Amino acid sequence: MLKSIILLLVMTMGKVYGANDITLTVTQAAQGGVVNDRKVTRTRPLTVGALAFSAPEVVYQRWAPTLARVSKETGLPLTLVPLTPDQLVARVANNELDFIIGNALITVAFKKDYGVSHLLTLVPHTRATPEHAIGSALIAKKDFNINSLNDLKQLRVISTDPNAFGGFQIIAAEMVEQGIAPLSDLKQLDFVGFPQDKLLNYIIEDRADVAILPSCVLESAINRATISANKLHVLLPQLHSNFQCQVSSKLYPSYAFSKLGHTDHRIATQVVRALLAIEAGDNEAISGRYQYWSAPVQDNHVFALLEHLDRWPFVTNWQRLVADLTPWAMLTGLVLLLGYLHHLRVKRLVVKRTQALSDEMAQHKNTQKALFEQQKQFYKAQRVLLTGEMASGIAHELNQPLAGIRYLTQGCIYRLGDGHDELKSALTKTIQQVDRAQSTIKRFRQFCHQPSVLQDCDLQELIQDTLNLMQPDFNRMKLQPQLSLMSLSVCIDVSLMQQVLVNLLRNALDAMETIDRPQLAVLICQTEQAAHIAITDNGTGLSEASLQRLFFPFETSKVHGLGLGMVVCKRIIEEHGGKIRAMNNRELNSSDAPWATPHPRGVTILVTLPLKANTDV
């Protein structure tokens, strides 16, 4: 869009400046065509930012012919962009320009932060030297005068922009030399913007007392007959030889042509060569109001002006520094904010977690107390069961010899004759004592026998409760059981069946006491109408003889064992209509034991119980 506007303006001005062929050249260059038998090697237009203190049309009129000639001679597509000082700073900061046509102050100020290189200096059409080609003028009505810059403090002073070199900044430096702080001491200072010519109307219309403008603005307006020569004049004029305009300040170098740091030096060389070829009297020089372009001139007095204005390189460029550091400062602030929010969140979580831990510890103490009481009841029940089983074993062993004694005694009585009444009486009493002993053993067995109390139970919940009960033993051995459980309902005596599970798990733990890495697996599965509980360890295992006699009373491999635990387990399970069997893991395979994943060593205990629908006990 901008390129179209430029081409349209250049075409509109073609007849005035003889630029019909230049317009064609710019179009061809932008399209990558061939110009003067030279192939254009760059298709993206090079952007030239021109400092603008008046309407964009005036800037186009001044510089478009010059850039069109450069484009024609180099084959490089050039785009002209008029910019105010603030716009120029923004474009340069964003690397949106390739070249700059601006005053000496802008060029010097851009050197440090943006790598701008001063290539050429403009020699103006006035008879001034390039080093002394521009200054500032204080303009007021013809009948208004002041004696010194101090008189400006109470006047209505206007300028275009605080960054305008030829206007405000040169006068500001002069005021600083005299101990005046322009931005604070000038009570009625106002910046009214561009174009510059409108400031003259402000003075004529009595809307301001003094206007700060670049040199030659007043003379140019008089030559164009936009204002009368007897209405305005320059205050505090200073005389400078070979300078045709009146000024109120020192003179400084004219416009400079500069390249940005990212611009290729070979392209810059072609552009410089084309600009140096423009001579005084050429249409491009006439349109641009200059004689020709020269090599860069001495600009040390520009540095003196920067020192008076407290600008780079004499003070830190805080604006640039702030612009560079703002993203990092925002990022740091965001990180700190997130860190503070995280700190608050962690603090809140710590409070909640502390309260939760306190509640959990209290709950753990209550649970531990309940488990301890339950464990005591289990151990008591185990002792009763062992006593009953022991009584059953003793009664079984004693009943046979007592029955033998009774039969032998009766045989003796049958064989005695009539003359042995006393002996018959003694033998009869012996039989009575045998009957009495058998009756006592029978009552003892009945006393120790506990009838089962059956109820519906979920095997998964039962095993979880049992594992929780034995958690201290698992912690002691640093063991985490591998579980594969499923919900199956059975009708059992929960207390007795839990005692069976405790006994089986404790046997597994005892078998793994000497194992470096104990492993325990508990599995529940279902086949047809039965529920299976498999308890697998990787302990020392059992010999074939021990495995065959595992469920015999008083058979044990433990030093202090009674050999009745597995017998009690077998009796309880059989009372529930189930079965129990033991197998060495090394003898198992997937076809024999689809319900388990055996370890290479150790023992697997398989408990089979009828499901609830088939429980007849």
Side-chain angles (χ1 to χ4, degrees):
M1 183 67 180
L2 184 59
K3 185 190 300 183
S4 301
I5 295 174
I6 295 173
L7 296 178
L8 180 61
L9 288 171
V10 174
M11 291 174 65
T12 304
M13 297 183 292
K15 294 184 179 180
V16 178
Y17 298 101
N20 287 335
D21 56 336
I22 296 176
T23 303
L24 180 60
T25 302
V26 173
T27 305
Q28 290 175 338
Q31 295 174 349
V34 179
V35 181
N36 288 346
D37 299 327
R38 183 177 296 175
K39 179 69 177 179
V40 176
T41 59
R42 183 183 180 91
T43 58
R44 182 182 69 81
L46 295 167
T47 304
V48 181
L51 199 58
F53 299 106
S54 55
E57 293 80 5
V58 177
V59 179
Y60 286 123
Q61 182 180 5
R62 181 177 185 182
W63 298 115
T66 298
L67 296 185
R69 175 167 172 173
V70 172
S71 181
K72 178 180 179 181
E73 294 188 3
T74 62
L76 297 172
L78 299 176
T79 298
L80 176 64
V81 183
L83 299 169
T84 64
D86 289 338
Q87 293 172 339
L88 183 64
V89 171
R91 290 290 188 100
V92 170
N94 295 326
N95 279 333
E96 296 177 1
L97 299 177
D98 299 290
F99 296 98
I100 300 173
I101 300 176
N103 56 52
L105 186 66
I106 286 285
T107 303
V108 171
F110 283 167
K111 282 184 179 180
K112 173 179 177 292
D113 293 326
Y114 306 107
V116 170
S117 300
H118 185 181
L119 301 178
L120 297 173
T121 299
L122 188 74
V123 178
H125 66 284
T126 61
R127 286 177 289 181
T129 61
E131 294 89 344
H132 304 93
I134 188 170
S136 291
L138 297 174
I139 300 174
K141 285 187 176 181
K142 198 73 172 180
D143 56 353
F144 186 85
N145 278 291
I146 60 175
N147 298 318
S148 68
L149 293 177
N150 268 308
D151 296 339
L152 297 175
K153 292 182 179 180
Q154 304 304 325
L155 300 177
R156 296 175 296 168
V157 181
I158 59 174
S159 186
T160 54
D161 188 274
N163 293 318
F165 173 56
F168 179 74
Q169 296 212 348
I170 292 178
I171 287 295
E174 301 268 344
M175 297 178 72
V176 170
E177 285 187 45
Q178 300 182 28
I180 304 172
L183 294 178
S184 58
D185 290 344
L186 299 185
K187 304 302 182 182
Q188 302 182 65
L189 175 64
D190 190 18
F191 297 99
V192 298
F194 299 97
Q196 296 171 336
D197 289 349
K198 73 177 182 179
L199 275 70
L200 300 176
N201 294 325
Y202 273 58
I203 303 299
I204 294 173
E205 297 169 3
D206 201 26
R207 296 165 62 184
D209 298 320
V210 178
I212 304 175
L213 286 168
S215 57
C216 298
V217 171
L218 176 60
E219 289 80 1
S220 177
I222 293 174
N223 291 336
R224 296 195 310 269
T226 56
I227 64 169
S228 174
N230 60 357
K231 287 188 176 182
L232 303 176
H233 73 124
V234 175
L235 303 175
L236 305 177
Q238 297 185 19
L239 296 178
H240 298 281
S241 60
N242 296 324
F243 194 74
Q244 297 178 349
C245 302
Q246 286 189 322
V247 292
S248 307
S249 68
K250 300 175 184 177
L251 295 178
Y252 293 87
S254 182
Y255 273 88
F257 186 82
S258 309
K259 82 173 189 70
L260 275 293
H262 63 84
T263 305
D264 192 290
H265 69 279
R266 294 168 295 182
I267 293 177
T269 300
Q270 296 182 55
V271 174
V272 167
R273 186 182 295 115
L275 288 174
L276 289 174
I278 299 176
E279 298 179 352
D282 290 349
N283 290 334
E284 295 78 16
I286 296 173
S287 300
R289 302 197 296 277
Y290 62 88
Q291 299 183 54
Y292 54 89
W293 292 90
S294 74
V297 297
Q298 182 179 351
D299 57 2
N300 58 344
H301 47 310
V302 177
F303 283 88
L305 183 143
L306 289 171
E307 183 176 10
H308 289 311
L309 295 176
D310 286 335
R311 294 182 58 177
W312 180 89
F314 303 99
V315 295
T316 302
N317 187 344
W318 292 109
Q319 182 178 3
R320 172 67 177 176
L321 186 61
V322 169
D324 290 341
L325 294 181
T326 295
W328 293 103
M330 294 178 63
L331 179 61
T332 303
L334 179 61
V335 171
L336 291 176
L337 177 61
L338 293 177
Y340 179 69
L341 294 177
H342 179 68
H343 168 72
L344 293 180
R345 176 177 176 273
V346 170
K347 186 177 180 180
R348 181 171 176 270
L349 291 176
V350 167
V351 173
K352 292 180 63 178
R353 184 56 180 164
T354 302
Q355 183 62 41
L357 286 175
S358 300
D359 297 341
E360 188 175 351
M361 289 176 64
Q363 184 179 3
H364 178 70
K365 289 181 179 179
N366 295 332
T367 303
Q368 192 174 25
K369 184 178 180 181
L371 290 177
F372 180 73
E373 292 295 329
Q374 189 176 11
Q375 194 173 38
K376 287 174 60 178
Q377 295 296 325
F378 285 150
Y379 289 154
K380 182 178 179 180
Q382 186 179 36
R383 288 194 295 271
V384 172
L385 288 172
L386 291 175
T387 303
E389 197 65 32
M390 185 181 297
S392 297
I394 293 173
H396 178 75
E397 296 297 331
L398 291 179
N399 274 334
Q400 291 184 2
L402 288 174
I405 292 173
R406 192 177 192 283
Y407 294 148
L408 290 174
T409 303
Q410 285 180 345
C412 291
I413 293 174
Y414 293 153
R415 287 176 174 77
L416 290 176
D418 295 335
H420 299 84
D421 293 337
E422 294 181 0
L423 185 56
K424 287 183 178 180
S425 177
L427 292 174
T428 300
K429 291 180 179 180
T430 300
I431 292 174
Q432 291 174 353
Q433 293 299 322
V434 170
D435 292 339
R436 181 180 178 184
Q438 288 181 331
S439 177
T440 300
I441 292 172
K442 181 178 180 181
R443 288 198 303 273
F444 183 64
R445 290 183 62 186
Q446 291 175 347
F447 174 77
C448 293
H449 178 71
Q450 289 184 341
S452 299
V453 180
L454 303 180
Q455 58 182 334
D456 294 340
C457 175
D458 190 332
L459 279 181
Q460 182 175 357
E461 295 180 1
L462 177 63
I463 291 178
Q464 289 285 10
D465 292 342
T466 306
L467 294 174
N468 292 334
L469 179 67
M470 300 189 66
Q471 190 62 45
D473 294 317
F474 297 147
N475 294 339
R476 174 178 58 83
M477 298 185 64
K478 299 180 180 178
L479 171 65
Q480 183 64 37
Q482 302 172 10
L483 306 179
S484 179
L485 308 179
M486 62 184 298
S487 181
L488 289 177
S489 181
V490 293
C491 186
I492 57 175
D493 186 314
V494 176
S495 179
L496 292 179
M497 191 56 64
Q498 194 167 42
Q499 181 58 42
V500 170
L501 294 174
V502 168
N503 192 72
L504 296 178
L505 291 171
R506 192 170 298 283
N507 286 344
L509 295 179
D510 291 341
M512 295 187 292
E513 283 287 349
T514 58
I515 302 301
D516 292 336
R517 295 182 180 178
Q519 297 182 26
L520 178 68
V522 181
L523 174 140
I524 296 177
C525 64
Q526 178 182 2
T527 57
E528 297 180 354
Q529 300 300 319
H532 301 280
I533 303 173
I535 299 176
T536 303
D537 63 70
N538 66 336
T540 55
L542 295 172
S543 65
E544 290 299 326
S546 298
L547 197 61
Q548 294 296 327
R549 300 183 62 83
L550 182 61
F551 299 105
F552 281 53
F554 309 110
E555 293 285 342
T556 180
S557 59
K558 299 178 182 180
V559 177
H560 302 290
L562 294 177
L564 295 173
M566 295 302 292
V567 177
V568 172
C569 292
K570 184 174 184 296
R571 180 176 65 79
I572 293 174
I573 292 171
E574 288 177 348
E575 282 186 4
H576 287 78
K579 295 179 181 180
I580 183 171
R581 58 182 176 138
M583 299 150 283
N584 280 317
N585 292 336
R586 61 178 177 269
E587 299 175 359
L588 298 178
N589 54 54
S590 58
S591 59
D592 295 332
W595 33 261
T597 304
H599 297 284
R601 62 182 178 181
V603 172
T604 295
I605 303 296
L606 178 64
V607 176
T608 302
L609 294 173
L611 293 175
K612 177 181 175 181
N614 294 328
T615 302
D616 299 328
V617 181

Short mmCIF file of all heavy atoms in Angstrom, two decimals, residues 141-162:
data_model
loop_
_atom_site.label_atom_id
_atom_site.label_comp_id
_atom_site.label_asym_id
_atom_site.label_seq_id
_atom_site.Cartn_x
_atom_site.Cartn_y
_atom_site.Cartn_z
N LYS A 141 6.61 38.07 16.27
CA LYS A 141 6.05 39.15 15.45
C LYS A 141 7.08 40.26 15.27
O LYS A 141 8.01 40.41 16.06
CB LYS A 141 4.80 39.71 16.12
CG LYS A 141 3.59 38.80 15.98
CD LYS A 141 2.34 39.48 16.51
CE LYS A 141 1.11 38.60 16.28
NZ LYS A 141 -0.13 39.26 16.77
N LYS A 142 6.87 41.05 14.23
CA LYS A 142 7.86 42.06 13.83
C LYS A 142 8.12 43.07 14.95
O LYS A 142 9.26 43.54 15.13
CB LYS A 142 7.35 42.79 12.57
CG LYS A 142 8.42 43.53 11.80
CD LYS A 142 9.32 42.55 11.06
CE LYS A 142 10.29 43.30 10.14
NZ LYS A 142 11.17 42.38 9.40
N ASP A 143 7.07 43.40 15.71
CA ASP A 143 7.22 44.42 16.74
C ASP A 143 7.56 43.84 18.11
O ASP A 143 7.49 44.54 19.13
CB ASP A 143 5.93 45.24 16.84
CG ASP A 143 4.71 44.36 17.10
OD1 ASP A 143 4.87 43.11 17.07
OD2 ASP A 143 3.63 44.91 17.34
N PHE A 144 7.93 42.53 18.16
CA PHE A 144 8.21 41.90 19.45
C PHE A 144 9.70 41.56 19.52
O PHE A 144 10.25 40.99 18.58
CB PHE A 144 7.37 40.62 19.61
CG PHE A 144 7.47 39.99 20.95
CD1 PHE A 144 6.68 40.41 22.01
CD2 PHE A 144 8.39 38.95 21.17
CE1 PHE A 144 6.79 39.80 23.25
CE2 PHE A 144 8.49 38.36 22.41
CZ PHE A 144 7.70 38.77 23.46
N ASN A 145 10.35 41.91 20.66
CA ASN A 145 11.77 41.63 20.82
C ASN A 145 12.06 41.15 22.25
O ASN A 145 11.29 41.42 23.19
CB ASN A 145 12.61 42.88 20.53
CG ASN A 145 12.82 43.08 19.04
OD1 ASN A 145 13.53 42.30 18.40
ND2 ASN A 145 12.21 44.12 18.48
N ILE A 146 13.18 40.46 22.38
CA ILE A 146 13.68 40.05 23.69
C ILE A 146 15.17 40.36 23.74
O ILE A 146 15.82 40.54 22.69
CB ILE A 146 13.44 38.54 23.97
CG1 ILE A 146 14.16 37.68 22.90
CG2 ILE A 146 11.97 38.22 24.04
CD1 ILE A 146 14.07 36.19 23.19
N ASN A 147 15.73 40.45 24.95
CA ASN A 147 17.13 40.77 25.12
C ASN A 147 18.02 39.55 25.31
O ASN A 147 19.22 39.62 25.02
CB ASN A 147 17.30 41.72 26.31
CG ASN A 147 16.57 43.05 26.10
OD1 ASN A 147 16.62 43.61 24.99
ND2 ASN A 147 15.91 43.52 27.13
N SER A 148 17.48 38.46 25.83
CA SER A 148 18.27 37.25 26.06
C SER A 148 17.34 36.05 26.15
O SER A 148 16.10 36.21 26.18
CB SER A 148 19.09 37.37 27.36
OG SER A 148 18.22 37.37 28.48
N LEU A 149 17.94 34.88 26.18
CA LEU A 149 17.13 33.66 26.30
C LEU A 149 16.38 33.60 27.62
O LEU A 149 15.36 32.91 27.73
CB LEU A 149 18.04 32.43 26.16
CG LEU A 149 18.68 32.22 24.78
CD1 LEU A 149 19.61 31.00 24.81
CD2 LEU A 149 17.62 32.02 23.70
N ASN A 150 16.85 34.31 28.66
CA ASN A 150 16.15 34.33 29.94
C ASN A 150 14.74 34.90 29.81
O ASN A 150 13.85 34.55 30.59
CB ASN A 150 16.94 35.16 30.96
CG ASN A 150 17.89 34.28 31.76
OD1 ASN A 150 17.50 33.27 32.32
ND2 ASN A 150 19.16 34.67 31.79
N ASP A 151 14.56 35.80 28.83
CA ASP A 151 13.26 36.42 28.66
C ASP A 151 12.19 35.42 28.21
O ASP A 151 10.98 35.70 28.28
CB ASP A 151 13.35 37.56 27.64
CG ASP A 151 14.25 38.69 28.12
OD1 ASP A 151 14.47 38.77 29.35
OD2 ASP A 151 14.76 39.45 27.28
N LEU A 152 12.63 34.23 27.73
CA LEU A 152 11.66 33.23 27.26
C LEU A 152 10.91 32.56 28.41
O LEU A 152 9.88 31.91 28.19
CB LEU A 152 12.38 32.15 26.43
CG LEU A 152 13.05 32.60 25.13
CD1 LEU A 152 13.81 31.44 24.51
CD2 LEU A 152 12.02 33.15 24.15
N LYS A 153 11.42 32.70 29.63
CA LYS A 153 10.83 31.95 30.76
C LYS A 153 9.36 32.27 30.97
O LYS A 153 8.58 31.38 31.35
CB LYS A 153 11.62 32.24 32.03
CG LYS A 153 13.04 31.69 32.02
CD LYS A 153 13.75 31.98 33.33
CE LYS A 153 15.16 31.42 33.34
NZ LYS A 153 15.87 31.70 34.62
N GLN A 154 8.96 33.50 30.77
CA GLN A 154 7.58 33.89 31.05
C GLN A 154 6.75 34.03 29.78
O GLN A 154 5.60 34.47 29.84
CB GLN A 154 7.58 35.23 31.82
CG GLN A 154 8.39 35.23 33.09
CD GLN A 154 7.96 34.14 34.07
OE1 GLN A 154 6.76 33.82 34.17
NE2 GLN A 154 8.93 33.56 34.78
N LEU A 155 7.31 33.66 28.64
CA LEU A 155 6.59 33.80 27.38
C LEU A 155 5.94 32.49 26.95
O LEU A 155 6.30 31.42 27.41
CB LEU A 155 7.56 34.29 26.29
CG LEU A 155 8.24 35.64 26.54
CD1 LEU A 155 9.21 35.95 25.41
CD2 LEU A 155 7.20 36.76 26.68
N ARG A 156 4.99 32.63 26.04
CA ARG A 156 4.35 31.45 25.45
C ARG A 156 5.23 30.97 24.29
O ARG A 156 5.23 31.56 23.23
CB ARG A 156 2.95 31.79 24.96
CG ARG A 156 1.97 32.19 26.06
CD ARG A 156 0.65 32.62 25.46
NE ARG A 156 0.83 33.83 24.63
CZ ARG A 156 -0.10 34.30 23.80
NH1 ARG A 156 -1.26 33.67 23.68
NH2 ARG A 156 0.16 35.39 23.08
N VAL A 157 5.95 29.88 24.57
CA VAL A 157 6.92 29.37 23.60
C VAL A 157 6.38 28.07 23.01
O VAL A 157 5.89 27.20 23.75
CB VAL A 157 8.29 29.14 24.26
CG1 VAL A 157 9.29 28.62 23.23
CG2 VAL A 157 8.80 30.42 24.90
N ILE A 158 6.50 27.91 21.70
CA ILE A 158 6.05 26.68 21.04
C ILE A 158 7.18 26.13 20.18
O ILE A 158 8.06 26.85 19.73
CB ILE A 158 4.79 26.92 20.16
CG1 ILE A 158 5.06 27.97 19.09
CG2 ILE A 158 3.60 27.29 21.03
CD1 ILE A 158 3.92 28.14 18.09
N SER A 159 7.14 24.81 19.99
CA SER A 159 8.05 24.14 19.07
C SER A 159 7.33 22.91 18.54
O SER A 159 6.20 22.59 18.96
CB SER A 159 9.34 23.74 19.80
OG SER A 159 10.27 23.20 18.86
N THR A 160 7.96 22.24 17.58
CA THR A 160 7.29 21.09 16.96
C THR A 160 7.38 19.84 17.83
O THR A 160 6.37 19.19 18.14
CB THR A 160 7.93 20.80 15.59
OG1 THR A 160 9.35 20.66 15.76
CG2 THR A 160 7.63 21.90 14.61
N ASP A 161 8.60 19.51 18.26
CA ASP A 161 8.81 18.23 18.95
C ASP A 161 10.05 18.37 19.84
O ASP A 161 11.02 19.04 19.45
CB ASP A 161 9.02 17.12 17.91
CG ASP A 161 9.05 15.74 18.54
OD1 ASP A 161 10.15 15.32 18.99
OD2 ASP A 161 8.01 15.07 18.58
N PRO A 162 10.07 17.75 21.01
CA PRO A 162 11.25 17.87 21.88
C PRO A 162 12.49 17.23 21.27
O PRO A 162 13.61 17.52 21.69
CB PRO A 162 10.83 17.15 23.17
CG PRO A 162 9.68 16.29 22.78
CD PRO A 162 8.98 17.00 21.67
#
